[in-house]
Amino acid sequence: MDPIDTARAVVDEHHPKARAAFLGGSVVTGRRTPMSDLDIVVLLYGAPAPYRASFRHDDWPVELFVHTEASWYDYVEREVRKRRSPLLWMCADGLLLLDTDGVGARLAAEARKLATAGPPTVSVEEIDDLRYGMTDLLDDLSGSAAQGERLFIAIELARRTSELALAIGGSWSGGGKWMARRLELTAPGLSMRLHNAVQAVLAGQVGSLVDVVDEVLGQVGGRLWDGYKRGGVAP
């Protein structure tokens, strides 16, 4: 069944009195795969929103994100502060399936405005936290001879290096495939270099990964360990 028709059927079945609905994610882009699911955002006037649920409908995996207008703004605000907002992008880039009173068009316009404006500027403290964590991981990588340990250290270094590159580039962050896609736009070639470097670590060679990580760190002052300090929260 066509994904758009299926998405409309899902909304009709689960929330026939919905104010608005969006179909987002890879299924509405050229990146659709046989494993793509239906990411559907639904706007209600009240309860049982907000909630999310996962299920199957006509052999389609469905992710349902149900909100009121107020909860939509609340969730987006919290996600934007983290520089990563799946809800924002599902509405900014998604297909408006239903709009009974104009709220869908209004939120789509707001989502596109926020997405275009970009994420909040990353703070010096956040950058230093990343520098410190990556420095610690680089030391762990150099000091470990256990391949099992190196695997997880290398994966974590690749993830944090990607986060730092996106922050430096003023880009939105993401998880999984979305991090790779945003990274390719912000720092072309870095994703493949990290991939090859992690592969080299699995073959027992850490030099390539160290070089890539240090190159990204060098854009914000290099490694950081000596003198790093953060206050705690008093009980």
Side-chain angles (χ1 to χ4, degrees):
M1 189 172 180
D2 178 79
I4 297 174
D5 291 338
T6 303
R8 288 196 171 106
V10 168
V11 176
D12 287 342
E13 178 179 328
H14 290 265
H15 294 292
K17 295 183 179 180
R19 297 180 69 187
F22 297 85
L23 175 61
S26 299
V27 75
V28 294
T29 72
R31 292 180 180 269
R32 174 180 168 183
T33 73
M35 297 303 293
S36 292
D37 57 9
L38 301 182
D39 293 322
I40 305 173
V41 179
V42 176
L43 272 294
L44 304 181
Y45 287 100
Y51 77 90
R52 66 176 291 177
S54 302
F55 52 89
R56 299 193 74 86
H57 184 102
D58 288 343
D59 294 327
W60 278 97
V62 177
E63 291 274 10
L64 198 63
F65 304 86
V66 183
H67 286 277
T68 64
E69 185 175 359
S71 74
W72 186 91
Y73 277 101
D74 181 60
Y75 273 65
V76 165
E77 181 181 1
R78 281 185 278 165
E79 290 179 351
V80 165
R81 286 200 300 265
K82 298 177 182 178
R83 304 172 56 81
R84 173 182 169 183
S85 180
L87 181 58
L88 179 70
W89 286 98
M90 283 188 282
C91 296
D93 290 344
L95 174 67
L96 186 57
L97 298 169
L98 168 72
D99 192 10
T100 63
D101 60 4
V103 68
R106 187 165 66 251
L107 294 187
E110 179 69 11
R112 287 191 289 268
K113 177 182 175 182
L114 290 170
T116 301
T121 302
V122 65
S123 69
V124 173
E125 289 76 15
E126 290 175 290
I127 292 292
D128 283 351
D129 288 345
L130 279 168
R131 291 172 63 200
Y132 170 79
M134 291 163 65
T135 299
D136 196 43
L137 285 166
L138 284 168
D139 289 342
D140 287 344
L141 183 64
S142 297
S144 177
Q147 282 298 89
E149 291 181 359
R150 283 183 167 183
L151 166 66
F152 292 100
I153 294 169
I155 290 172
E156 185 63 14
L157 270 171
R159 184 185 68 81
R160 296 198 193 188
T161 301
S162 300
E163 285 186 354
L164 181 57
L166 290 171
I168 293 169
S171 172
W172 292 99
S173 190
K177 63 187 179 185
W178 291 103
M179 177 174 280
R181 291 173 184 180
R182 301 206 190 287
L183 192 63
E184 194 55 38
L185 291 173
T186 305
L190 180 57
S191 180
M192 185 54 63
R193 291 180 64 198
L194 286 168
H195 170 272
N196 293 337
V198 170
Q199 293 278 56
V201 170
L202 299 182
Q205 301 170 0
V206 303
S208 295
L209 183 57
V210 172
D211 288 345
V212 176
V213 176
D214 273 332
E215 181 180 311
V216 176
L217 281 170
Q219 298 178 53
V220 288
R223 300 189 190 194
L224 175 63
W225 188 87
D226 190 22
Y228 175 83
K229 183 178 180 180
R230 282 288 178 270
V233 178

